[in-house]
Amino acid sequence: MMNLHSKPIDVRGRTPYSIEQFMIPEGSSIYIKEILIPKGEVIDRIEKLRDEIAEDYKDKDLFLLGILQGAAKFLFALLEDFPYVYNHQLIETKSYDGAAGGPVKVGAINKEMLKDKDVLIVEDIIDRGKTLDSLIKELNNVPRSLEICTLLDKPNRREVDVYVKYTGFIIPDEFVVGFGLDYAGDFRYFPHISVLKEEVYAR
Ligand code: IMP
Ligand code: MG
């Protein structure tokens, strides 16, 4: 089978969809401004990422490390009907102060478990790059190999450079919710990657 390594889909400069154009949960229209990437496109793209990962790791010992909570939905979508055996774990990362620019604390990882594994970190979105930079430093020289897979990337916001092998979509510098991504714990359930109305932040 042909396995071309795909380029991320760049949705910057693409006209967003209106909430009237797709099915949305009842009661959510008062919060959502517009839809950046509909769920169907997210799922199609994840299928391609899964195929690339499955091909690249077929002779390796794949261990997927998902970052809670945002990447949980992406991780399980990525692993649906995965063609061979693998291991996975979900871990927590937190900003010490919760503030933008603050240092990032990585939750307990059983490093012993990752030795001799080919670890693929699965993240929902890369923004400043600090979360992944901290995690990579924490895991330095522990697994046999270490790569990153992210559903979304906001490269315009990057403060720390990180090499990302698999990227779903490149998005503009806007705060997005849906498909597992939240704002203050809300809107994770929203099916499409979307932008919130300004009023939501002013609540
Ligand atoms: P950073 O790359 O260290 O700045 O942080 C990335 C983390 O910030 C992600 O794992 C998300 O939890 C969160 N984040 C950044 N941008 C967004 C967004 O647009 N929506 C939801 N969460 C976001
Ligand atoms: Mg996250």
Side-chain angles (χ1 to χ4, degrees):
M1 200 162 82
M2 196 166 63
N3 183 54
L4 298 174
H5 242 293
S6 59
K7 283 195 290 198
I9 297 173
D10 193 341
V11 306
R12 294 173 298 183
R14 183 163 100 175
T15 309
Y17 300 98
S18 129
I19 54 168
E20 288 88 49
Q21 292 174 308
F22 293 96
M23 292 296 293
I24 62 170
E26 218 174 297
S28 61
S29 66
I30 55 170
Y31 305 111
I32 308 295
K33 183 179 161 200
E34 56 200 12
I35 293 169
L36 214 52
I37 314 166
K39 179 184 130 189
E41 189 178 2
V42 176
I43 300 288
D44 281 340
R45 181 74 186 126
I46 291 174
E47 282 179 7
K48 177 62 177 161
L49 292 175
R50 180 194 305 128
D51 187 61
E52 291 176 11
I53 292 164
E55 176 68 22
D56 292 352
Y57 284 85
K58 64 176 189 278
D59 301 318
K60 298 187 172 182
D61 200 346
L62 178 59
F63 192 111
L64 299 109
L65 204 55
I67 303 185
L68 286 171
Q69 307 217 32
K73 191 176 168 73
F74 174 42
L75 178 75
F76 291 120
L78 195 61
L79 293 176
E80 203 174 300
D81 297 324
F82 199 78
Y84 51 81
V85 294
Y86 59 86
N87 291 283
H88 79 273
Q89 197 195 330
L90 286 157
I91 58 158
E92 211 163 0
T93 60
K94 282 229 180 325
S95 294
Y96 281 114
D97 49 7
V104 172
K105 182 186 183 322
V106 177
I109 305 173
N110 183 354
K111 290 185 185 168
E112 202 56 40
M113 204 168 56
L114 302 180
K115 280 186 182 161
D116 305 321
K117 299 285 184 198
D118 295 293
V119 173
L120 181 63
I121 298 170
V122 178
E123 178 61 304
D124 52 355
I125 186 164
I126 308 181
D127 187 35
R128 295 165 300 154
K130 297 203 170 181
T131 305
L132 285 175
D133 186 60
S134 301
L135 186 55
I136 286 164
K137 284 184 177 137
E138 177 91 13
L139 294 180
N140 186 36
N141 289 326
V142 176
R144 185 162 52 199
S145 69
L146 187 60
E147 298 288 357
I148 296 169
C149 172
T150 187
L151 180 59
L152 307 174
D153 188 1
K154 287 196 261 193
N156 302 358
R157 298 255 308 163
R158 197 75 87 254
E159 290 173 23
V160 189
D161 230 6
V162 279
Y163 171 71
V164 184
K165 184 152 188 198
Y166 308 94
T167 300
F169 300 89
I170 297 176
I171 66 164
D173 179 12
E174 276 190 282
F175 196 84
V176 293
V177 296
F179 208 87
L181 289 102
D182 74 303
Y183 168 66
D186 283 333
F187 307 107
R188 276 191 211 289
Y189 63 87
F190 198 76
H192 319 288
I193 308 274
S194 308
V195 179
L196 291 172
K197 289 182 176 168
E198 302 292 329
E199 305 93 89
V200 178
Y201 303 106
R203 279 190 299 193

